[in-house]
């Protein structure tokens, strides 16, 4: 088994490509070991000292770390991923679920449903594929009075360039296609 790695815009996160599907549908973002109880793969990764986050995408795994240098951590992460795939264990155990788009409540007024649908379509078709290429995901949270709130996950969460991506790239894109949008804000 050959596992490729790719740098992400976030220096604390690497993207691992096992050459096999990771998630059949949806994504899962684990921000701590306690939350990873339903995923044998995530549990193995959190068992590596220094791992602080695991994001499972369709064909990639983004792993975030603490201050431990990647040259010290990368071999153990590669080993944990290889061990998982050789074990035959599922990525998610029965009962554990992946969410395709969001893991929280969305907030918008009923009369804004058409605007929100356009925003989500642009995010799904134009933004999400680019963000996944960097090892992350973007989630719609709310729309009120022309202000769109979005959450970044995976490699994009905590990335030094994520604010610039949201405000310069995504905000400009949404303003162009959805004139009602005035501003895009990040949320945790």
């Amino acid at each position: 088994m050959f596992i490729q790695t790719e740098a992400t815009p976030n220096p604390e996160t690497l993207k691992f490509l096992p050459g096999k599907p990771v998630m059949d549908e949806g994504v899962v973002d684990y921000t701590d070991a306690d939350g990873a109880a339903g995923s044998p793969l995530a549990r193995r990764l959190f068992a590596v000292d220094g791992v602080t986050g695991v994001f499972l995408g369709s064909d990639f795994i983004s792993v975030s770390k603490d201050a431990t240098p990647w040259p010290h951590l990368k071999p153990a992460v590669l080993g944990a991923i290889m061990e998982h795939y050789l074990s035959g264990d599922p990525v998610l155990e029965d009962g554990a679920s992946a969410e395709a788009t969001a893991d929280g409540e969305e907030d918008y007024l009923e009369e804004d449903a058409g605007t929100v649908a356009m925003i989500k379509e642009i995010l799904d078709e134009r933004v999400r594929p680019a963000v996944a290429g960097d090892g992350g995901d973007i989630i719609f949270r709310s729309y009120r009075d022309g202000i769109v709130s979005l959450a970044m996950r995976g490699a994009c969460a905590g990335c030094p360039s994520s604010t610039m991506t949201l405000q310069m790239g995504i905000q400009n894109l949404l303003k162009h296609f959805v004139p009602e949008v005035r501003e895009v804000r990040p949320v945790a």
Side-chain angles (χ1 to χ4, degrees), residues 140 142-149 180-185:
F140 173 84
S142 69
Y143 175 78
R144 292 283 180 158
D145 301 319
I147 299 171
V148 179
S149 297
E180 297 86 354
V181 172
R182 294 183 302 123
E183 182 181 351
V184 173
R185 293 183 182 166

Side-chain angles (χ1 to χ4, degrees), residues 41-137:
L41 173 57
R43 285 195 308 265
R44 281 185 173 92
L45 290 166
F46 276 112
V48 175
D49 285 337
V51 170
T52 61
V54 174
F55 180 84
L56 305 174
S58 62
D59 64 350
F60 68 90
I61 304 153
S62 291
V63 177
S64 299
K65 67 173 188 69
D66 59 14
T68 307
W70 277 117
H72 297 285
L73 198 58
K74 188 175 167 182
V77 170
L78 287 166
I81 294 170
M82 187 168 295
E83 179 183 315
H84 171 77
Y85 279 96
L86 292 174
S87 74
D89 289 341
V91 172
L92 296 178
E93 294 172 334
D94 289 340
S97 66
E99 64 280 350
T101 57
D103 58 359
E105 292 294 315
E106 294 179 351
D107 181 33
Y108 59 90
L109 300 174
E110 187 65 35
E111 62 260 23
D112 292 329
T115 300
V116 169
M118 287 190 301
I119 291 168
K120 288 180 174 184
E121 182 178 345
I122 292 166
L123 292 174
D124 287 344
E125 292 180 8
R126 295 178 179 250
V127 178
R128 184 167 273 127
V131 173
D134 285 338
D137 194 21

